[in-house]
Amino acid sequence: DEGRFLFSTNSNPAISLFVPPRYLSGAPHKDSRRTMTGAVRRISDYDSVWPVMITPDLQSGPGAARKSDGTLRHFTSACGQTIFRGNQLGDDVQGDYFICEPVGRLVRRSKVEYRESGHLELTNVYESSRGEFITSTDGNFRPVTCYTGPDGCLYIVDMYRGIIQEKAFLTPYLRGEILKAGYEKNVGRGRLYRVVCEGIERGPQPKLLDAKATELVEALAHPNGWWRDTAQSLLVTRQVQTVAPALRKMALKHENTIARLHALWTLKGLGQLDEATTRSLFQDTNPRVRVASIRAMETLTYVNDNRLEEMISDPSPMVVAQIILTASQSDTPRNQYLIAQALAKHPNHANVLKAVQAVTLREAPVDSPPPIQSLGRDEQALFDKGKAIYRELCTACHGANGRGITTPNGNALAPPLPGSPRLTQDRDVAIQILLHGLAGEIDGKDYGGVMAPFGAAQSDAWVASVLTYTRREWGNEGSVILPSHVGDLRSHHKDRKSPWTQAELERNE
């Protein structure tokens, strides 16, 4: 409903972005995909699939199947995903995530939870019974994609074909299994399934191509997402300017949040989104509409309006994250300062941090003198892992060179790490800061925010790797920190709930 990207790869059934790709700053770098695509959390044993037939025709061989019953263990050909947005399968199904697995001859149905952090959590509806939404004992059942239909039902495209692997990737093992089952004989077929709900009538035929413009506006509030999307597409592609007044009324006053969103974007598509409407939508009761209104204003002439700065106090971190992204579209000192202010409001929120990371210009790596002593294999692995984590998470505030991102007014967002006594001189102090955070003035300077307790929810090895890297980079000569060091301090301060202050840490030395 909000136009958020959801996609998949063969073995990964669900990927989503924290930040739309057009906001990524500067040239693409190799870590950007990994950094920005961690928005999906697959709960429990989500990646396991549960076919009802033995699946020997596996490209990678029988090792991909369960030894107990020969069925496929994990996703290997995930494709054709959709969020079901129809209204004729019952409220319990609307908003569920469906994805096909043609090698396993199944379709997965997932419940979706949208967390305030920006994460999407997926759960297999039938995991407790080790089941799937649809499975088949017919080896030719090859579901490849799903759609929300105009009648409000779910449609599934079944390629219904014996061989689905490209010729170049037919291993000798797979070829033998295909011939054994006779799958090469099944070609030139295909099926289209409509999933209906007993006791619920299918919706009427839309006939939107012949609908009046006023009827298309009304369809923007339809409970079936197919109608809403199609109506918006027709209004925008036909450039029906006469409906602008009705769209403004819907955007500002309609009781349905989704209708207000569609009206907003239809106005934008028609070139009729005016300043007064946008300002009013900034005050909408739903944060989803406020986020959309901020994003929609980016190409308008008043993108640098003072209203953006006023909205930094918005209670929703999602709104603040969008302010960061929108401010980045105009590279002015004032907007760069807005980004720093927004980060200070929600220093611990995942989506806010991802937004800052996306728009922060990557600094060129700095040359650092070599460590005073070489590292062993395990220690080097900690260092390398910490380097990757630092570049993904910590550069948003500390910068690639560790000296802190500087705002237009000359202030740094974080204290410098090269030569930091808290980082390099006392191992325990460094661990405590990463586990519980740091607040207040640092060496008499106020950085305007709080060092978040990033290590609190991470493993001991994660904390040890980050600190090993930062204690030995940029000329720092700190010792390696081991996971056991972290574990000991975590246990000792297990009741600590608030960030440390510099004074507290100095008293504990």
Side-chain angles (χ1 to χ4, degrees), residues 229-503:
D229 294 349
T230 305
Q232 179 176 331
S233 175
L234 291 171
L235 287 169
V236 173
T237 54
R238 292 173 178 174
Q239 285 293 294
V240 186
Q241 304 291 329
T242 57
V243 299
L247 289 172
R248 291 191 186 97
K249 181 179 179 180
M250 175 178 279
L252 296 173
K253 298 182 178 181
H254 203 283
E255 61 182 13
N256 187 322
T257 298
I258 302 299
R260 299 201 299 276
L261 283 171
H262 275 283
L264 163 64
W265 288 114
T266 306
L267 282 169
K268 180 69 182 298
L270 293 174
Q272 294 292 324
L273 185 59
D274 60 284
E275 182 175 355
T277 302
T278 308
R279 285 180 178 275
S280 296
L281 291 175
F282 286 166
Q283 305 293 329
D284 194 275
T285 56
N286 193 294
R288 300 164 73 185
V289 177
R290 300 200 297 276
V291 166
S293 65
I294 295 170
R295 186 171 177 178
M297 68 175 279
E298 290 174 356
T299 57
L300 304 180
T301 56
Y302 51 91
V303 67
N304 293 322
D305 190 275
N306 291 333
R307 191 69 185 134
L308 262 188
E309 188 166 356
E310 296 172 14
M311 290 187 71
I312 286 181
S313 299
D314 193 285
S316 169
M318 304 302 288
V319 173
V320 176
Q322 184 59 52
I323 290 173
I324 292 171
L325 299 175
T326 296
S328 73
Q329 300 304 287
S330 178
D331 190 19
T332 65
R334 184 173 155 276
N335 277 0
Q336 292 300 312
Y337 181 61
L338 272 179
I339 295 173
Q341 284 184 301
L343 177 61
K345 292 287 184 181
H346 299 278
N348 301 335
H349 194 273
N351 221 37
V352 172
L353 290 170
K354 290 292 184 181
V356 172
Q357 182 181 352
V359 304
T360 301
L361 290 173
R362 294 287 188 269
E363 302 173 52
V366 295
D367 293 328
S368 300
I372 55 174
Q373 64 184 61
S374 60
L375 298 175
R377 185 179 64 179
D378 292 343
E379 294 171 334
Q380 186 64 47
L382 279 175
F383 180 92
D384 293 341
K385 179 181 178 182
K387 183 176 183 179
I389 295 171
Y390 181 89
R391 289 183 173 180
E392 176 179 330
L393 178 67
C394 309
T395 53
C397 293
H398 288 285
N401 60 11
R403 299 188 180 97
I405 296 296
T406 302
T407 64
N409 59 5
N411 292 329
L413 292 180
L417 299 180
S420 167
R422 286 162 298 282
L423 177 62
T424 60
Q425 294 180 12
D426 191 308
R427 181 183 71 197
D428 289 356
V429 167
I431 295 172
Q432 288 167 192
I433 291 174
L434 202 52
L435 287 178
H436 303 108
L438 184 62
E441 292 187 350
I442 308 298
D443 297 328
K445 185 174 180 179
D446 184 3
Y447 289 90
V450 176
M451 166 65 185
F454 290 111
Q458 302 292 345
S459 67
D460 294 342
W462 188 95
V463 175
S465 63
V466 174
L467 292 178
T468 294
Y469 170 70
T470 53
R471 281 163 60 86
R472 298 180 66 82
E473 185 63 297
W474 313 299
N476 289 340
E477 299 180 351
S479 61
V480 170
I481 289 182
L482 301 177
S484 58
H485 300 149
V486 180
D488 290 342
L489 268 182
R490 192 193 296 269
S491 176
H492 183 71
H493 295 287
K494 64 180 183 299
D495 297 326
R496 180 83 187 189
K497 303 298 182 185
S498 59
W500 297 97
T501 64
Q502 183 177 356

